[in-house]
Amino acid sequence: MNRGHLLALTLSALALSAQAQSTDYVVVVGNRSPLKHLSQHDISNVFLGRVEWLPGSGTVRPIEPKDDEELRLMFHAAITGMNEHKLRAHWAAMVFTGKARPPAKCATIDLLRTRLHEDPHAIAYLRRHDMDPALKQVFP
């Protein structure tokens, strides 16, 4: 990789990180979830399939919005520190070794909210303006 590409990737990552730091997104669970607040480290581990349960809450089931690629990349850049290429490589390895499966995807925000309301173990991220008062924000 030449220096120009490296510089462009670095600037892109910084821009995404700055956008994410403006907290355009929130990590949420349903009101029946025992979760109250999560650290960035916990959220990263959940959405990268490194853990399937958290102390005090039991099993967690991550869900991602299907059609908001910008949000997905912004979230992962800020929380997991991974870009699209690293995410694909990570999930290829996790699936190949049988260690984990990628988070479930929901086609619409309404379906995502419904899943969160119905499943106390579900956790997701969405844009702040899509927050539902019946959901509980656990990050930031």
Side-chain angles (χ1 to χ4, degrees):
M1 178 177 293
N2 67 34
R3 287 184 184 189
H5 285 114
L6 186 57
L7 179 61
L9 285 173
T10 302
L11 291 175
S12 294
L14 287 173
L16 282 173
S17 180
Q19 281 181 329
Q21 287 176 1
S22 70
T23 59
D24 185 36
Y25 64 88
V26 291
V27 179
V28 295
V29 294
N31 278 333
R32 295 186 305 143
S33 172
L35 292 173
K36 293 186 183 351
H37 181 75
L38 292 175
S39 69
Q40 179 178 337
H41 179 74
D42 289 337
I43 294 166
S44 177
N45 283 336
V46 167
F47 280 90
L48 290 176
R50 293 179 178 147
V51 297
E52 295 178 355
W53 66 273
L54 291 171
S57 69
T59 303
V60 288
R61 293 185 191 93
I63 306 170
E64 294 185 319
K66 183 176 182 178
D67 293 331
D68 195 340
E69 190 67 13
E70 178 187 4
L71 174 62
R72 188 175 79 81
L73 293 176
M74 179 176 55
F75 172 82
H76 280 285
I79 298 296
T80 68
M82 291 191 181
N83 61 24
E84 180 66 21
H85 178 73
K86 286 183 180 180
L87 279 170
R88 286 182 190 214
H90 170 79
W91 283 113
M94 294 295 271
V95 170
F96 180 75
T97 60
K99 290 182 180 177
R101 292 177 165 247
K105 304 264 190 213
C106 272
T108 68
I109 294 299
D110 289 336
L111 283 174
L112 181 70
R113 285 190 206 115
T114 299
R115 297 249 329 250
L116 288 166
H117 292 304
E118 292 173 353
D119 184 354
H121 302 289
I123 182 170
Y125 56 89
L126 44 82
R127 292 187 183 275
R128 184 173 294 282
H129 63 80
D130 289 326
M131 177 70 176
D132 179 326
L135 297 174
K136 197 171 19 170
Q137 180 177 332
V138 294
F139 185 86

